[in-house]
Amino acid sequence: MNEPPAEAATETIRAHPRVVLAGGTGFLGRRLAAVLGGGGYDVVILTRGSTRPPVGPISFAAWQPESENGIQALAGILSGAHAVVNLCGESIGGPRWTDRRKAALIASRVTPTTRLVAAANAADIPPGVFLQASGVGYYGVGSKPVDESSGNGDDFLAELAQQWEAPLCSLRADVRVVIARLGVVLGRGGGALSQMLAPFRMFVGGPIATGNQWLSWIHLHDATAIMAALIADEKSSGIYNLVAPGVIRNAQFAEAAGAALGRPAWMITPRFVLKGLLGEQATLVCDGQQAVSRRLNHDFDYPEIKGALENLV
């Protein structure tokens, strides 16, 4: 069989829809890049470091989101893209939430988003869709169910999510906008799960504080599958809460984690202990929100925490 000319092969590759992915080297981004690449897209990962050779359908392009000088170059990368996906943002775990740390968390989200919006606005051919990551922390903490129509909260995580999403208000009108407000993403190789399971592995796991606080979560597999579907579906737009239907309380997570690991799950950690260790950041584990989705039409592979943890541990 005769091989097609190199020029024809190149044009075939270029004919694939292109997704530009910011934050593509992180926990969620790596998985999403693999899903999109396996789904027939050419994926361009924006990277602050030196670029790397392409790996299959995944290639890399350099950018410096802190600099305003590269907008035109970035506009060239975004021009004609099927989608732009923004997952940029430092982990909310780690050091205490001092004023300096809070400012860094906000800047790590707002600055890249602002640059991407400016570049999309300057692109000769607008990208088809701009998918923006955010968090269900937008709604603030509480026990009442919140969905995509609910208002914002007034704590730090709510402020963080609001500022993360705010630059999209200035995006050109001919770009479809999708905002994915994520619950706690559970998966291997990163994210919060390893820290959540650490006490159980050391036989000191159990409920935190009262154990009654809600945990809105989603398996990494389902999160990336939903994002890929939202990119592909031209009728999808607006806000979506990416959370599993099996929203649980902290005590239920503890029970499921202990069962999955074959460890006890009776050791209660009082709120005052975590407050003393973490300060305001203790809200990550001591408080929660019962976030649900009224808009998703997704057949979850991991709708319940028991199956999700059995798969991941």
Side-chain angles (χ1 to χ4, degrees):
M1 183 180 295
N2 293 331
E3 293 293 330
E7 294 82 359
T10 300
E11 288 305 314
T12 300
I13 293 173
R14 289 176 179 170
H16 293 176
R18 177 166 44 91
V19 175
V20 181
L21 177 55
T25 58
F27 162 64
L28 180 59
R30 293 193 305 270
R31 172 67 182 178
L32 181 59
V35 169
L36 293 172
Y41 293 96
D42 288 333
V43 181
V44 180
I45 294 178
L46 300 177
T47 175
R48 289 179 170 88
S50 56
T51 57
R52 316 170 200 174
V55 180
I58 300 174
S59 60
F60 301 85
W63 80 318
Q64 296 297 329
E66 294 79 12
S67 172
E68 297 182 6
N69 297 327
I71 295 298
Q72 289 303 319
L74 184 58
I77 297 172
L78 270 52
S79 181
H82 178 77
V84 176
V85 180
N86 179 26
L87 306 178
C88 289
E90 292 182 20
S91 171
I92 56 177
R96 274 180 174 244
W97 289 349
T98 61
D99 289 345
R100 183 174 181 178
R101 175 64 176 159
K102 287 181 178 180
L105 290 173
I106 292 172
S108 72
R109 288 160 171 75
V110 174
T111 300
T113 307
T114 301
R115 300 289 182 267
L116 287 166
V117 167
N121 289 341
D124 292 336
I125 304 173
V129 57
F130 193 118
L131 189 150
Q132 169 73 28
S134 185
V136 295
Y138 176 95
Y139 305 108
V141 299
S143 59
K144 294 182 179 180
V146 290
D147 61 26
E148 290 89 349
S149 65
S150 300
N152 60 274
D154 57 6
D155 58 12
F156 172 64
L157 290 180
E159 176 189 354
L160 184 68
Q162 291 170 66
Q163 293 200 41
W164 201 0
E165 298 174 14
L168 298 177
C169 293
S170 61
L171 187 64
R172 57 197 292 172
D174 53 356
V175 177
R176 178 166 59 94
V177 176
V178 173
I179 297 175
R181 291 181 181 156
L182 291 148
V184 178
V185 181
L186 303 180
R188 298 191 189 100
L193 184 61
S194 61
Q195 293 178 320
M196 296 169 73
L197 294 179
F200 296 91
R201 296 187 188 280
M202 295 185 289
F203 293 87
V204 292
I208 293 171
T210 66
N212 289 327
Q213 65 273 32
W214 291 100
L215 174 63
S216 301
W217 63 278
I218 188 168
H219 193 294
L220 177 64
H221 170 85
D222 285 312
T224 51
I226 292 169
M227 286 183 168
L230 292 173
I231 289 170
D233 183 3
E234 294 184 358
K235 296 181 180 179
S236 298
S237 65
I239 298 162
Y240 295 85
N241 289 344
L242 270 59
V243 292
V247 182
I248 55 171
R249 295 185 186 272
N250 176 265
Q252 293 172 292
F253 173 83
E255 182 181 358
L261 290 168
R263 301 286 196 273
W266 55 267
M267 182 73 75
I268 298 174
T269 303
R271 183 186 185 98
F272 74 86
V273 172
L274 290 168
K275 186 72 173 177
L277 291 172
L278 303 175
E280 185 183 356
Q281 196 180 25
T283 190
L284 291 174
V285 288
C286 294
D287 303 307
Q289 59 277 120
Q290 191 185 171
V292 298
S293 178
R294 306 297 183 196
R295 301 196 64 207
L296 284 181
N297 182 20
H298 176 70
D299 186 12
F300 281 80
D301 286 317
Y302 300 98
E304 304 294 337
I305 194 65
K306 181 177 182 293
L309 290 181
E310 288 174 349
N311 171 260
L312 293 171
V313 303

